[in-house]
Amino acid sequence: MVFPPTYWIVEILRAIKQTNQPKFSSQAFKDALIRRFEKSKFGETLKGIQALIPTYLLTEDHLYILDNKKTPDSNYPMREIVQASSAAPTYFPAVSIGEENYVDGGIGLNNPAFKAYQQARLSYPQQKIILISLGTGITQQPLPDYLKEGGGKYRRWGNFTSRFCLRSPLLICKGIT
């Protein structure tokens, strides 16, 4: 046989097509974000708190930390910031904000939240830093007993997050006492 049966070709073309487009439509997610944030801007949403959100900037090919206190980031719609931070390729399409295209920060680093934490620690060495992880990751190992029972010396968020945070699209780093 010179050529494989037609169904093989169809299966190969289907597999190639699936690797080049998102697995899910982002429309339901967009609709929910529009209902929640309406026209809120990133800089207006978290007043008095500095938020750093790790994403991956496709147009410049590097991890980028969105900052609600920095222009132009602060003028971006909050709904687009949230969508960009969770736009994992193969699952959701990239998000265009302004002239740039963003995807989930996990493309640039396995743990983009830790990079945002490092940036916050360098910028605010004397401030309390609170890491809020809204990722979907799970751990294969249960937390050790010393963390379950009050946390001991790990009650302080700085120690806890530096050892146990997974992936996070949101890092609040200033203004909380």
Side-chain angles (χ1 to χ4, degrees), residues 1-20:
M1 177 183 332
V2 176
F3 297 102
T6 313
Y7 66 88
W8 280 55
I9 294 170
V10 171
E11 290 300 317
I12 290 171
L13 291 175
R14 185 177 298 138
I16 291 170
K17 183 179 176 187
Q18 287 176 344
T19 61
N20 291 325

Side-chain angles (χ1 to χ4, degrees), residues 17-27 87-94:
K17 183 179 176 187
Q18 287 176 344
T19 61
N20 291 325
Q21 65 183 1
K23 187 174 183 177
F24 302 105
S25 166
S26 60
Q27 194 57 52
T90 73
Y91 290 98
F92 292 112

Side-chain angles (χ1 to χ4, degrees), residues 80-176:
E80 291 177 4
I81 299 286
V82 173
Q83 188 178 1
S85 72
S86 52
T90 73
Y91 290 98
F92 292 112
V95 176
S96 295
I97 305 175
E99 308 248 336
E100 309 291 352
N101 293 311
Y102 299 88
V103 293
D104 184 325
I107 297 306
L109 286 174
N110 188 38
N111 188 349
F114 189 68
K115 180 66 175 171
Y117 176 82
Q118 287 176 319
Q119 182 174 324
R121 180 55 59 211
L122 289 172
S123 298
Y124 306 101
Q126 302 303 315
Q127 295 281 337
K128 283 188 177 180
I129 295 174
I130 297 175
L131 176 70
I132 300 174
S133 179
L134 303 175
T136 58
I138 58 169
T139 180
Q140 298 296 325
Q141 300 172 340
L143 285 176
D145 289 339
Y146 63 87
L147 286 177
K148 291 179 189 173
E149 298 167 6
K153 69 178 182 176
Y154 295 101
R155 261 184 262 173
R156 294 183 58 227
W157 278 103
N159 289 337
F160 183 79
T161 56
S162 66
R163 289 193 57 195
F164 295 102
C165 65
L166 296 174
R167 293 178 63 195
S168 172
L170 180 62
L171 177 71
I172 298 176
C173 67
K174 186 177 179 190
I176 295 180

Side-chain angles (χ1 to χ4, degrees), residues 12-82:
I12 290 171
L13 291 175
R14 185 177 298 138
I16 291 170
K17 183 179 176 187
Q18 287 176 344
T19 61
N20 291 325
Q21 65 183 1
K23 187 174 183 177
F24 302 105
S25 166
S26 60
Q27 194 57 52
F29 187 38
K30 279 184 189 177
D31 293 344
L33 292 173
I34 289 169
R35 284 191 305 274
R36 172 61 182 93
F37 294 110
E38 296 178 1
K39 296 182 180 181
S40 299
K41 301 288 184 195
F42 184 34
E44 301 166 351
T45 307
L46 301 165
K47 292 184 180 182
I49 295 173
Q50 182 154 10
L52 303 175
I53 299 182
T55 60
Y56 191 82
L57 183 56
L58 289 174
T59 46
E60 295 183 19
D61 194 28
H62 65 83
L63 185 72
Y64 182 76
I65 309 289
L66 291 159
D67 185 338
N68 71 330
K69 300 294 183 192
K70 186 173 78 173
T71 304
D73 299 357
S74 62
N75 295 322
Y76 294 152
M78 186 64 184
R79 67 180 185 274
E80 291 177 4
I81 299 286
V82 173

